């Protein structure tokens, strides 16, 4: 529950843009954060929380090495730099409509403030179009450092990628010596080991963020030691990357606790709750996309729907996104369901 400045209560289905997997002010996460803070909030050295967090992510994803930063935006940029360093190539291929943060390479190509050279080093293709990708890789595969994909892009409608397309990505990347970079900043929550496990595909690099910070700012990339070794400080030509507050113990302790609480049973239960809610809404005639604990109402009725939901006690994303949290009870879920159905009916009747 969130109470706004006017005393109006809402069930929070935005959960700070999907990052609060256990809702607000979870007691165990706060204890971990305060416990770490009492020992010092930031050091110019690694802490055991950072090492434990890397091991936790490695165990879940099967991806060997991890490096941390303070946001998903930074994670994506670090991932692209890692791909360029490893391959010695410039070009990035990514897909239309996907949001990967606010870095230059992943910004809308028409947005002001981008260097021409940045635009020239990125190709944007329609997601799911195997022919366009095959053709592009035939032309520029030998110049491509990475194919970057979000397997269920929220801004593009929250539709899971087709398995056939994902297999093709892996195949084409391998054929042309490019890396497959999967942006899991939002989708990591959908499977204990990250959403790529659902597709049984092995990315070369993955970015994470949101839930791994336990409500504090966080980002990370994972990859093999062969790829991430280019960051090793001290090497003559190592990749430049740093951050004063990167992997600070408060974030790492909070995130580690959040991830441990989000164990296999918890992931399965939250996804099942999302599947049930999506099924109920669809049976009531509401168009909803998504997978597991992430749902998105598909409607042309925004922003009217957002306000109707808000006024009736449900906080959604402004695009109709509903991100469930483990703090939600059956009662919350049925109130969300009733409120969405009622609000959609009101929109149709207007
Ligand atoms: C898939 C994806 N990548 C990257 C980002 C950027 O993360 P942050 O807002 O932490 O910079 C987001 C944020 O919504 C995202 O959904």
């Amino acid at each position: 529950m969130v109470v706004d400045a006017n005393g109006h209560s809402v069930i929070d289905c935005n959960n700070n843009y999907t990052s609060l997997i256990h809702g607000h002010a979870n007691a165990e996460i706060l204890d971990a954060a305060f416990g770490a803070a009492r020992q010092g909030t930031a050091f110019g050295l690694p802490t055991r929380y950072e090492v434990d967090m890397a091991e936790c992510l490695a165990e879940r994803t099967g991806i060997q090495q991890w490096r941390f930063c303070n946001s998903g935006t930074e994670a994506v940029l670090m991932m692209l730099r890692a791909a360029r360093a490893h391959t010695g190539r410039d070009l990035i291929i990514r897909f239309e409509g996907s949001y990967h943060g606010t870095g230059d390479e992943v910004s809308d190509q028409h947005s002001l403030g981008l260097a021409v050279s940045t635009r020239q080093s990125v190709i944007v293709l329609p997601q799911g179009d195997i022919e366009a990708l095959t053709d592009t890789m035939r032309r520029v595969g030998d110049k491509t450092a990475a194919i970057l994909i979000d397997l269920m892009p929220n801004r593009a409608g929250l539709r899971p990628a087709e398995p056939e397309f994902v297999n093709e990505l892996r195949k084409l990347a391998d054929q042309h010596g490019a890396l497959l970079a999967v942006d899991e900043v939002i989708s990591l929550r959908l499977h204990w080991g990250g959403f790529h496990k659902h597709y049984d595909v092995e990315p070369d690099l993955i970015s994470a963020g949101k839930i791994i910070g336990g409500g504090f700012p966080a980002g990370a990339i994972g990859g093999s030691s062969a790829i991430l070794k280019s960051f090793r400080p001290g090497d003559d030509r190592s990749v430049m990357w740093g951050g004063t507050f990167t992997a600070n113990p408060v974030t790492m302790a909070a995130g580690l606790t959040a991830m441990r609480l989000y164990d296999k049973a918890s992931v399965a239960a939250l996804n099942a709750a999302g599947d049930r809610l999506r099924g109920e809404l669809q049976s009531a005639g509401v168009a909803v996309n998504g997978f597991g604990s992430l749902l998105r109402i598909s409607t042309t009725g925004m922003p009217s729907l957002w306000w109707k939901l808000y006024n009736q006690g449900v906080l959604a994303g402004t695009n109709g996104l509903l991100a469930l949290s483990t703090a939600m009870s059956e009662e919350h879920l049925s109130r969300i369901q009733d409120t969405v159905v009622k609000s959609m009916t009101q929109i149709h009747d207007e």
Side-chain angles (χ1 to χ4, degrees):
M1 276 289 183
V2 165
V3 183
D4 74 11
N6 300 318
H8 177 62
S9 297
V10 284
I11 302 173
D12 191 353
C13 297
N14 179 307
N15 276 306
N16 192 37
Y17 298 96
T18 78
S19 62
L20 302 174
I21 194 73
H22 302 296
H24 294 272
N26 174 284
E28 280 180 74
I29 296 175
L30 288 184
D31 281 350
F34 285 126
R38 275 189 208 99
Q39 298 171 307
T41 56
F43 300 92
L45 287 168
T47 65
R48 95 184 139 80
Y49 300 112
E50 176 180 3
V51 176
D52 289 351
M53 183 63 153
E55 283 173 357
C56 166
L57 293 173
E59 187 198 349
R60 291 172 83 115
T61 58
I63 295 172
Q64 231 176 341
Q65 288 200 347
W66 288 82
R67 292 185 63 87
F68 296 97
C69 50
N70 293 314
S71 68
T73 291
E74 284 179 89
V76 170
L77 294 182
M78 183 165 36
M79 180 160 76
L80 299 184
R81 192 175 293 178
R84 284 173 167 154
H86 184 72
T87 58
R89 302 170 176 180
D90 275 359
L91 198 63
I92 304 295
I93 295 181
R94 62 180 179 85
F95 299 102
E96 265 164 30
S98 289
Y99 177 70
H100 298 286
T102 51
D104 283 359
E105 283 100 335
V106 292
S107 291
D108 183 333
Q109 300 271 291
H110 305 293
S111 87
L112 292 176
L114 299 189
V116 173
S117 57
T118 304
R119 292 202 182 95
Q120 287 167 343
S121 65
V122 177
I123 293 181
V124 184
L125 298 175
Q127 183 143 327
D129 190 337
I130 294 179
E131 214 179 299
L133 182 65
T134 310
D135 184 53
T136 303
M137 288 301 275
R138 200 178 296 125
R139 284 188 297 107
V140 292
D142 62 340
K143 297 182 181 61
T144 303
I147 306 175
L148 170 66
I149 185 164
D150 177 344
L151 296 168
M152 190 170 78
N154 170 26
R155 295 210 185 169
L158 208 72
R159 288 182 196 85
E162 292 296 330
E164 193 196 350
F165 183 64
V166 179
N167 288 337
E168 207 57 35
L169 287 181
R170 180 68 278 177
K171 224 172 73 194
L172 284 166
D174 286 343
Q175 258 172 28
H176 294 273
L179 301 188
L180 178 59
V182 177
D183 181 359
E184 292 244 26
V185 167
I186 210 171
S187 64
L188 194 78
R189 61 151 61 207
L190 297 173
H191 190 290
W192 185 73
F195 198 38
H196 65 277
K197 296 275 186 202
H198 171 72
Y199 289 89
D200 203 16
V201 66
E202 280 188 33
D204 298 300
L205 283 163
I206 120 170
S207 55
K210 309 243 188 211
I211 67 167
I212 67 161
F216 293 84
I221 66 166
S224 64
S225 54
I227 297 174
L228 295 198
K229 74 171 192 280
S230 46
F231 286 89
R232 206 159 37 206
D235 284 3
D236 278 356
R237 298 194 61 236
S238 66
V239 177
M240 157 64 205
W241 195 276
T244 304
F245 291 98
T246 285
N248 71 78
V250 179
T251 297
M252 292 289 106
L256 188 58
T257 304
M259 293 307 282
R260 284 181 178 157
L261 290 174
Y262 198 48
D263 58 13
K264 278 185 183 160
S266 180
V267 175
L270 197 61
N271 277 340
D275 289 342
R276 269 197 311 278
L277 178 58
R278 191 166 24 255
E280 296 287 349
L281 291 174
Q282 284 165 343
S283 304
V286 179
V288 196
N289 300 329
F291 181 99
S293 64
L294 293 176
L295 299 85
R296 183 168 161 184
I297 304 160
S298 177
T299 175
T300 51
M302 289 292 182
S304 170
L305 174 64
W306 188 91
W307 280 109
K308 285 187 170 43
L309 292 173
Y310 188 80
N311 289 332
Q312 294 171 90
V314 169
L315 176 61
T318 48
N319 64 4
L321 183 75
L322 303 171
L324 305 190
S325 84
T326 63
M328 288 174 177
S329 64
E330 283 304 320
E331 195 199 326
H332 289 129
L333 293 165
S334 78
R335 277 184 52 198
I336 295 165
Q337 180 185 324
D338 292 347
T339 309
V340 170
V341 172
K342 199 165 137 199
S343 303
M344 287 300 284
T345 309
Q346 289 166 349
I347 284 192
H348 285 137
D349 292 347
E350 275 171 0

